[in-house]
Amino acid sequence: MATADDVETYRQHSAELIRYATALVGPADAADVVTDAVLAAFASPSWADVTNRRAYLYRAVLHESASFHRRAGRRQRRERVAAARDRSIADPPADTVDAHRALAALSAQQRAVVYLTYWEDLTPDRIAALLGVTEGTVRKQLARARDHLRRILDA
Amino acid sequence: MPEQDLDDRIRQLVARAVADAPPAPDLDPVVVRLDRRRPDHRRARWVGGGAALLAAAAAITTVVLINDTDERISTPATVPAPTMSATPDTPATVDAPGAASTTTEPGTTLPPATRWEATEAVLTAGADGVTAYLDGRTTTLWTEPVRIALATPGGRVILTPDDEGGGAPLVLDPSTGAATPLLADHPEYWTGLVLLHDVELVDGRELLLYGLIEGTDQPAADTERIYLVDLATGDRQLLAAPEGAPDASTATQLLPGAASVRSRLSMSVAGDIVGTLNDGNGVSFLWLAVPGSPAAQRPRTAAELGLQPTYPGCDTECPRLFTISPDGGTIAWVEGADDAELVVHEDSAPQRIPLGFPPQETSLDIAPDGAFLLARAPAPVQAVRVARDGTVSALRGVVATAGPGGQATNPVAPPPTAAVVTAGPDGIAVLDEDGNELRRLDEPAAEAYLTPGGAVIFQAPRTEPGGDVGPPMIWQPDGAVERLLPDPAPGQSYRIYDVAGVDGVPTVLYGLRSRPTDGNPAGFREQLVALAMDPAGWTTTELAEIPTWEAGYTGLGLGADGTVIGTYSESVTTSYVAMALPGSPAEQTGVPDHTTLGIEPDYGDCTTCPNHFTVSADAGTIAWLAEGDVVVFDVASATTERFALPDLGGIPVRLDIRPVGDGSSEVLVDRWSDEAEELDAVRFRLSPDGAVELPLGAAFASFAP
């Protein structure tokens, strides 16, 4: 059972977490990802010892979104294999840059870094601290994400 | 697109995405769901794909995880479970002695059976890995997600994995499946973003062209530097840098300060480098040259292509995606929007090929047969082939690249040779001849063995005294960690003994141990099995079945000709074991028996008698420990040498040996240290001057085959 303290923590950060999750997995699945991430955090034996709960929840949402994409990726791969015989080059790709589709082309960690850079306006060192990775990783993922988005936006 | 514009557009993109955010889920349902939440530690079950799936995956078994909903995070710091995308689904066990071999399927990075000609190949890269198109056939070279793959003149493949770690480039040898990091000795590699452009044979040198974007605090300050690396020597040259960059003076050519390279650069055998540039004011044709190459004497210009020097304010309709064929005879590009065309410039008037689909391409290359390879965006990006007559056909993957124009007679410099693999509580390390660490996996391991293809087979330590070591795992050259064998039945466990390349096929020698639930001594058995990891299909062969009640193999070595040498202990008796894998060269030539070695068939109640028999991976040397010495038997000459070892200060548990040239050998002794009360390994060089200890520092170690 969640404690009153947990409830307060969730209320305090729910709005930013749902925005973050929306950037990571899209609006349709954001609520599920946040719910599962928060549940996992509250159920974790280490939750009681966490000092920076906001950072912990951000990482939990990122981790859950990565799991979500792995599951979705497996489903899509299965569907692609099944549909491969019917695939036709005549099917045109979408001709507008949809925000969620563009972000979906990035890895979960890249989406997180892009969101935190361009929405939260955080610097790489602060993103690194929030996500629990090195600053070099943040910079590298940001550079890769920008390169990827440049190609999509240029097209 | 100028960098600031890109930042603005990404910011708008994120704002649009976030604007769709739904309301945060209510807390009450969260609490309710928390009550219903149950700990679920059940193992995910794995099922193998069927024949159709197998065919679709180009003979790589696709394994699908079911009960997806069972996945839960334990803590945010938990590392995702390794993707077991190609675990053999057929049990590798055999039910009875002498049973027929059981075929399983190859693992993730197994190579094709035959080497392919890089110059004629087209490679595609995408979420399904790397596919080679050659002579109307497709071959899967790699099955993990890849951003781009380039065929080299020397017949290798350079690829960028599409992974969370940033996708450091790897060089893959398709004939062996071995993959090793590339550019790892360049410091920027660890924080910068490497963008592979092209590989070509220029003036007899196998050159890799790549861009490097170094991470900065301000994204808008990112600049791409263009480097050339000689793959044979590792020499790197800064080819082009933006004007005003700190190291611009060391670059042979300069780019406008605000410019960005819009698309992948291509390179010809003459040394032309062609691409598209955006200098902030517009898009233009970019030509660079390999310094000293024939192309450097003949600059290519926009004017000769009938183009303006620049196309101001033009992002989607102007000429773009410039590329040059490997032979340098063709330059092509895309222009137009809804009426997009491929423009092909050769000796005659430019040819225009209507594309017939929206120009959402991100990459253009010219195939060996003159067709064009396009990648279309946005997601899902699709690689397509456009023939000269405008016919469009889909390719597997996202980005397609053409093979090089030249074929190298100087292959890529071999990566440092792995000599030793160590295992311990702090992880697994692959070391070179000098003890330098080549690769590390931060996963505790009891034992680890390198395969000829560069993978590492290992088992996790026991979690409790008297318990079993962990299941056999394989650490692939691309970093993936997967189960090697299916889960054993209840009461069974695996024990890896050795790994070697037998007749050229990576082969794992292991035991499948059974413990009866009723404790009946007769039920304690071990099947000795050889797993041949042949790219055409994994096979298991049972070699023997032995009783293990107060008995068992204390160690076994495997040689390249199929010789198996080891020790069997029963109560207080120790025996020499020698056998040959069925169908191996050793079965034809025979294996040395105890008489040949000059020893007794067995020894009773003797701690210093011959023990810990083993064979070198090349099968040329048999060794054992006796009375504090290591005894080395040369199979070819049937001669024996003894080397006195320093006091080991503990109880030996395993011996390994390998020749190291000039007639000398090295041995590894894994021992139980009395002083430290833990396992550790010691390494000795054996020469006419005696045994000299070499630095090691590991709980367990074995030699590379």
Side-chain angles (χ1 to χ4, degrees):
Chain A
M1 174 71 75
T3 67
D5 193 29
D6 295 339
V7 171
E8 181 53 33
T9 299
Y10 177 73
R11 282 189 177 141
Q12 197 174 344
H13 301 297
S14 61
E16 60 181 314
L17 290 176
I18 196 72
R19 269 199 310 272
Y20 180 51
T22 302
L24 295 178
V25 299
D29 301 296
D32 283 348
V33 164
V34 169
T35 302
D36 287 349
V38 171
L39 283 171
F42 288 175
S44 168
S46 59
W47 174 248
D49 302 324
V50 173
T51 52
N52 187 344
R53 293 190 163 191
R54 177 171 179 261
Y56 192 98
L57 290 174
Y58 264 81
R59 290 177 214 169
V61 169
L62 174 60
H63 187 93
E64 184 59 31
S65 73
S67 298
F68 169 84
H69 277 284
R70 281 196 295 275
R71 294 194 295 269
R74 281 193 292 270
R75 281 196 299 274
Q76 286 165 6
R77 278 196 288 277
R78 288 199 291 266
E79 289 160 4
R80 271 213 308 273
V81 169
R85 270 170 279 166
D86 301 326
R87 185 170 55 191
S88 165
I89 194 56
D91 297 335
D95 59 0
T96 59
V97 179
D98 175 88
H100 294 296
R101 291 185 71 180
L103 290 175
L106 308 178
S107 72
Q109 196 173 62
Q110 287 167 1
R111 282 191 298 276
V113 170
V114 164
Y115 170 81
L116 295 169
T117 299
Y118 290 99
W119 181 264
E120 299 284 353
D121 286 329
L122 298 184
T123 54
D125 59 327
R126 293 189 61 194
I127 296 172
L130 193 66
L131 299 182
V133 299
T134 66
E135 197 175 327
T137 296
V138 171
R139 289 175 173 173
K140 194 166 185 172
Q141 297 290 20
L142 181 59
R144 183 172 296 286
R146 293 182 79 253
D147 174 65
H148 208 108
L149 292 173
R150 179 203 306 277
R151 291 165 198 269
I152 290 174
L153 293 169
D154 274 353
Chain B
M1 185 190 307
E3 299 296 328
Q4 189 58 53
D5 287 356
L6 177 64
D7 286 337
D8 291 344
R9 291 189 67 182
I10 294 176
R11 205 176 295 280
Q12 292 164 9
L13 193 76
V14 174
R16 288 208 305 274
V18 172
D20 295 335
D26 291 338
L27 190 61
D28 289 346
V30 170
V31 176
V32 171
R33 287 186 59 180
L34 189 62
D35 283 340
R36 293 211 306 262
R37 182 177 169 81
R38 54 173 170 65
D40 190 347
H41 303 299
R42 286 179 297 163
R43 302 187 60 80
R45 290 180 291 127
W46 300 87
V47 295
L53 201 56
L54 198 77
I60 302 292
T61 294
T62 299
V63 180
V64 179
L65 178 67
I66 62 175
N67 69 0
D68 286 343
T69 54
D70 286 342
E71 291 187 343
R72 290 286 187 274
I73 56 174
S74 52
T75 73
T78 301
V79 176
T83 304
M84 300 170 67
S85 58
T87 304
D89 107 77
T90 306
T93 58
V94 278
D95 296 329
S101 301
T102 307
T103 299
T104 59
E105 291 301 325
T108 300
T109 59
L110 292 173
T114 55
R115 191 181 180 87
W116 46 275
E117 295 299 324
T119 53
E120 297 300 319
V122 167
L123 299 185
T124 61
D128 295 331
V130 178
T131 301
Y133 291 75
L134 180 64
D135 293 336
R137 294 185 303 118
T138 60
T139 307
T140 299
L141 304 180
W142 188 265
T143 59
E144 296 298 316
V146 168
R147 291 173 57 81
I148 188 172
L150 300 170
T152 75
R156 313 285 174 98
V157 173
I158 295 175
L159 58 89
T160 301
D162 193 1
D163 59 23
E164 295 282 343
L170 300 173
V171 59
L172 167 71
D173 183 345
S175 62
T176 64
T180 51
L182 189 69
L183 311 177
D185 55 343
H186 298 155
E188 310 94 322
Y189 163 95
W190 299 104
T191 56
L193 170 63
V194 172
L195 301 171
L196 299 182
H197 286 297
D198 205 357
V199 187
E200 190 50 270
L201 190 71
V202 181
D203 283 340
R205 293 187 300 155
E206 206 172 1
L207 298 179
L208 167 66
L209 181 70
Y210 75 93
L212 181 70
I213 298 176
E214 294 182 50
T216 62
D217 287 336
Q218 298 302 320
D222 288 347
T223 54
E224 180 173 351
R225 290 165 172 75
I226 309 297
Y227 288 93
L228 278 170
V229 169
D230 186 324
L231 292 173
T233 64
D235 292 342
R236 185 175 70 154
Q237 183 175 16
L238 178 59
L239 178 68
E243 288 176 344
D247 52 355
S249 61
T250 64
T252 57
Q253 292 160 78
L254 294 178
L255 301 173
S260 64
V261 176
R262 275 281 300 271
S263 59
R264 198 164 64 81
L265 302 171
S266 58
M267 184 163 47
S268 75
V269 291
D272 296 285
I273 296 169
V274 165
T276 311
L277 195 70
N278 187 333
D279 65 1
N281 297 315
V283 174
S284 56
F285 171 72
L286 171 65
W287 176 87
L288 303 168
V290 175
S293 70
Q297 307 302 317
R298 185 188 178 282
R300 311 293 291 263
T301 64
E304 73 177 83
L305 301 174
L307 299 171
Q308 300 174 27
T310 186
Y311 290 82
C314 173
D315 254 359
T316 58
E317 295 187 3
C318 54
R320 58 197 183 276
L321 291 181
F322 293 98
T323 189
I324 190 167
S325 60
D327 65 4
T330 306
I331 292 179
W333 62 92
V334 172
E335 63 181 61
D338 294 336
D339 55 347
E341 295 175 315
L342 267 172
V343 184
V344 185
H345 189 281
E346 293 171 328
D347 291 338
S348 56
Q351 179 189 0
R352 292 181 174 270
I353 304 173
L355 282 176
F357 53 82
Q360 294 172 313
E361 66 290 328
T362 59
S363 168
L364 175 64
D365 218 346
I366 302 176
D369 64 355
F372 301 92
L373 307 169
L374 271 165
R376 304 192 309 178
V381 182
Q382 169 74 60
V384 298
R385 178 183 184 278
V386 182
R388 293 272 176 151
D389 64 2
T391 305
V392 179
S393 52
L395 298 171
R396 187 185 297 171
V398 172
V399 173
T401 58
Q407 189 157 13
T409 53
N410 53 333
V412 174
T417 305
V420 173
V421 58
T422 64
D426 57 346
I428 300 167
V430 179
L431 310 178
D432 68 8
E433 294 286 347
D434 300 323
N436 300 314
E437 194 171 294
L438 301 175
R439 290 199 289 152
R440 167 166 286 276
L441 178 68
D442 293 327
E443 194 157 322
E447 299 186 359
Y449 304 89
L450 202 64
T451 74
V456 174
I457 310 292
F458 69 95
Q459 291 185 274
R462 293 176 172 82
T463 54
E464 58 185 359
D468 294 325
V469 291
M473 307 292 290
I474 180 166
W475 172 29
Q476 300 281 12
D478 67 348
V481 177
E482 305 167 349
R483 284 283 180 90
L484 179 71
L485 298 168
D487 284 346
Q492 293 187 321
S493 62
Y494 292 110
R495 163 81 190 278
I496 302 294
Y497 287 109
D498 203 2
V499 177
V502 178
D503 235 2
V505 177
T507 303
V508 181
L509 184 66
Y510 69 89
L512 177 64
R513 296 174 169 180
S514 300
R515 289 186 306 272
T517 52
D518 59 5
N520 180 0
F524 285 81
R525 312 288 294 178
E526 177 172 340
Q527 294 164 331
L528 184 62
V529 182
L531 167 65
M533 300 161 68
D534 191 315
W538 291 10
T539 58
T540 54
T541 304
E542 181 175 331
L543 307 179
E545 181 169 337
I546 59 167
T548 56
W549 177 257
E550 295 186 351
Y553 297 118
T554 53
L556 294 167
L558 178 62
D561 64 351
T563 297
V564 176
I565 299 292
T567 310
Y568 176 75
S569 296
E570 184 172 14
S571 186
V572 295
T573 303
T574 299
S575 309
Y576 168 70
V577 173
M579 65 183 91
L581 298 190
S584 68
E587 190 180 43
Q588 305 299 318
T589 60
V591 295
D593 62 12
H594 69 275
T595 306
T596 307
L597 269 55
I599 59 174
E600 299 298 323
D602 52 57
Y603 296 87
D605 203 9
C606 173
T607 56
T608 59
C609 292
N611 203 333
H612 301 291
F613 297 96
T614 192
V615 63
S616 60
D618 68 357
T621 308
I622 293 173
W624 62 91
L625 299 176
E627 297 172 334
D629 297 344
V630 58
V631 186
V632 178
F633 177 82
D634 182 76
V635 175
S637 63
T639 56
T640 302
E641 281 186 283
R642 294 180 76 104
F643 299 87
L645 295 178
D647 182 7
L648 291 174
I651 303 169
V653 296
R654 185 178 184 274
L655 177 69
D656 201 357
I657 185 166
R658 67 163 187 161
V660 287
D662 67 19
S664 56
S665 302
E666 282 185 5
V667 292
L668 287 166
V669 183
D670 301 316
R671 58 170 182 170
W672 176 259
S673 168
D674 294 333
E675 183 181 346
E677 293 192 345
E678 61 185 17
L679 280 171
D680 71 354
V682 283
R683 180 180 181 182
F684 296 100
R685 169 69 66 94
L686 307 179
S687 71
D689 297 331
V692 178
E693 183 171 350
L694 303 175
L696 185 61
F700 172 91
S702 64
F703 285 125

